[in-house]
Amino acid sequence: MNNIEQSNRLWTKSFICLTLGSFLLFLNLQMLLSSFPAYVKGHFQTNDLIVSLVTSVFALAAIATRFLTAGLIRKVHRNVLLFIGLALAAFITASYIGAGSIGSLLAMRVGYGIGFGMASTIIPTLVSQIIPVHRMGEGIGYFGLSTSLAMSIGPMIGLNVMNQYGFNTLAVVGAATALFIFPILLFSRSIPPEAHKRTAASDVSGAGPSHKAKQPFNKQLLFPALLNVLLSVTYSGLLSFIALFGQSVHLEQVGLFFLFNAITIIIIRPISGRLFDSRGHAAVLLPAAACVVASMVVLSFTTNLPMLIASALLYGLGFGAIQPTIQAWMLRSTAQEQHSMANSMFYNSTDLGVAIGALLLGAISSVTGYAVMYRYSAGCMMLFLVVYSLVQWMTARRAKQMAGGQSTDAA
């Protein structure tokens, strides 16, 4: 009985410490990611398209690294990859202080993308191995809260620190944040040593879709990954340009967007996870995507603080529900042996959306301005709704036809 209760536990020491480590890793990323555009544009006197490269080259480096990490994890011990990635991310964050040109800064962003890509692949893979299968939606919902909170409060912290103390101080704070992950994981001994054993046992017992583990690639991951790309394009517009948008409409406290965004994320994360477990992804994704559309439209017309807050609250509801739902959906579509691949593809699709969004929205903003750019972001989420609804309709129709064919055969 005790073993059954143990296997059903979600809030274990490993789960808590790995979730905290993920929060600090993404906090390190988000504090600087949101501040780079304003810093680069002011310090190096460049245009929006060049500014967007600071985000894009990092994202592309992280994507390439995750593909390599998913393969290396079978040959190199995952702890080695994790701590190399964390050390590289911390070292390069501190090294930003010495960047004397756009070229050197872009090279550092590539190096940071490599370190971040390694660490952000290993941590969620470890977490997915210790979450009870029947609580996957709930567990990923809580774990993903670490990422979403970092995405929400990180930009606000980064912008405030840079405005008050300068970019150099921000780089030091970011490096310290990444380094703090080491004692949390090492002293707590929270990395599960038996994760691979659990996977093997699950395969032998027949639990889960173990036949999929033999497949080199799971095609079921493509559709949710595409949806995550579309969502991440909208987030890229916030990361890359909301500080500049605030300057254009004379909103000094534009960083509050991320604070109020965090409020609704905290509220919606546990609810969306349980809803996914009980009713599936459609019950979450459709209303959540509509919230993101409304948020982008409101933001595009924002000229005062109440409108900014309304947009932030709506975005938190939508973004906070969609991301963990897509990640849990992808994990449920794979065997445990493929969780590293599923997590890698989830975070790669996030970074791909951020990279595409930074370049695409940067080009749009340079021609139309930031307000119109956010209306294009709303259009991106309208595409999300149309594509998802169409695929759901086609899937239901195909299932109905198959059911009808089987009843005819039985007759």
Side-chain angles (χ1 to χ4, degrees):
M1 185 68 179
N2 289 335
N3 289 338
I4 295 175
E5 290 178 356
Q6 183 72 19
S7 65
N8 288 333
R9 285 183 62 201
L10 175 61
W11 293 102
T12 60
K13 180 180 70 173
S14 292
F15 180 80
I16 293 170
C17 291
L18 287 169
T19 299
L20 180 57
S22 177
F23 170 74
L24 293 173
L25 176 64
F26 277 87
L27 187 64
N28 160 267
L29 167 70
Q30 299 295 332
M31 281 194 300
L32 283 101
L33 196 59
S34 60
S35 305
F36 263 122
Y39 167 72
V40 171
K41 192 166 187 176
H43 188 75
F44 296 103
Q45 301 297 311
T46 59
N47 58 43
D48 285 346
L49 195 56
I50 297 298
V51 167
S52 67
L53 286 176
V54 175
T55 300
S56 297
V57 296
F58 147 75
L60 294 174
I63 289 170
T65 301
R66 287 198 187 98
F67 281 118
L68 293 174
T69 302
L72 280 174
I73 200 171
R74 301 185 186 95
K75 302 177 181 179
V76 181
H77 198 285
R78 64 187 190 278
N79 293 13
V80 174
L81 295 174
L82 172 60
F83 290 118
I84 288 176
L86 290 173
L88 189 58
F91 173 74
I92 293 184
T93 299
S95 299
Y96 289 143
I97 297 172
S101 65
I102 282 289
S104 62
L105 183 62
L106 290 177
M108 290 178 183
R109 294 298 286 161
V110 170
Y112 178 82
I114 294 172
F116 180 83
M118 293 171 67
S120 63
T121 300
I122 303 297
I123 291 178
T125 298
L126 294 174
V127 167
S128 66
Q129 291 172 343
I130 61 176
I131 297 174
V133 175
H134 66 283
R135 300 183 69 179
M136 186 62 72
E138 181 185 3
I140 291 299
Y142 283 116
F143 173 74
L145 183 59
S146 66
T147 304
S148 293
L149 275 178
M151 286 179 162
S152 299
I153 67 174
M156 180 184 65
I157 294 172
L159 290 171
N160 286 335
V161 171
M162 189 177 75
N163 290 337
Q164 294 184 30
Y165 303 104
F167 183 80
N168 288 355
T169 300
L170 176 59
V172 172
V173 171
T177 301
L179 287 173
F180 192 58
I181 302 172
F182 283 88
I184 291 175
L185 297 184
L186 290 173
F187 295 156
S188 66
R189 298 181 179 179
S190 55
I191 299 176
E194 72 283 354
H196 292 296
K197 294 179 182 180
R198 278 190 54 185
T199 299
S202 174
D203 193 23
V204 170
S205 65
S210 59
H211 63 282
K212 294 178 183 176
K214 298 177 182 179
Q215 298 177 0
F217 180 74
N218 191 333
K219 294 181 180 179
Q220 294 183 50
L221 299 177
L222 287 174
F223 181 54
L226 171 63
L227 296 177
N228 196 40
V229 168
L230 293 174
L231 174 68
S232 299
V233 168
T234 69
Y235 184 68
S236 177
L238 296 173
L239 274 182
S240 300
F241 302 110
I242 197 166
L244 299 173
F245 170 72
Q247 294 174 10
S248 70
V249 295
H250 309 292
L251 271 176
E252 295 182 0
Q253 298 298 322
V254 72
L256 289 175
F257 180 97
F258 298 103
L259 174 62
F260 286 95
N261 178 46
I263 292 173
T264 44
I265 283 177
I266 293 172
I267 294 171
I268 200 63
R269 274 285 190 174
I271 298 172
S272 64
R274 293 191 184 99
L275 191 59
F276 169 78
D277 284 335
S278 62
R279 299 185 60 184
H281 45 75
V284 179
L285 296 183
L286 289 173
C291 286
V292 176
V293 171
S295 170
M296 292 293 96
V297 172
V298 172
L299 183 61
S300 71
F301 290 101
T302 291
T303 56
N304 54 55
L305 192 57
M307 292 181 72
L308 183 76
I309 293 173
S311 174
L313 293 173
L314 284 168
Y315 195 82
L317 284 174
F319 185 85
I322 293 173
Q323 266 217 326
T325 298
I326 289 178
Q327 188 175 13
W329 178 8
M330 294 173 77
L331 288 169
R332 274 200 179 174
S333 301
T334 59
Q336 282 192 342
E337 292 86 351
Q338 289 184 315
H339 280 182
S340 62
M341 180 184 69
N343 281 313
S344 174
M345 194 163 181
F346 171 77
Y347 288 106
N348 275 345
S349 62
T350 299
D351 286 338
L352 181 60
V354 168
I356 292 172
L359 291 173
L360 180 62
L361 297 178
I364 291 173
S365 67
S366 64
V367 176
T368 65
Y370 301 115
V372 175
M373 179 199 72
Y374 284 123
R375 287 168 208 157
Y376 277 93
S377 289
C380 188
M381 285 308 293
M382 286 296 296
L383 180 61
F384 179 111
L385 277 169
V386 170
V387 171
Y388 179 77
S389 299
L390 182 61
V391 170
Q392 286 294 101
W393 176 78
M394 291 173 63
T395 302
R397 184 181 180 185
R398 191 180 303 117
K400 187 176 180 180
Q401 289 174 345
M402 290 178 65
Q406 289 175 355
S407 63
T408 301
D409 292 339

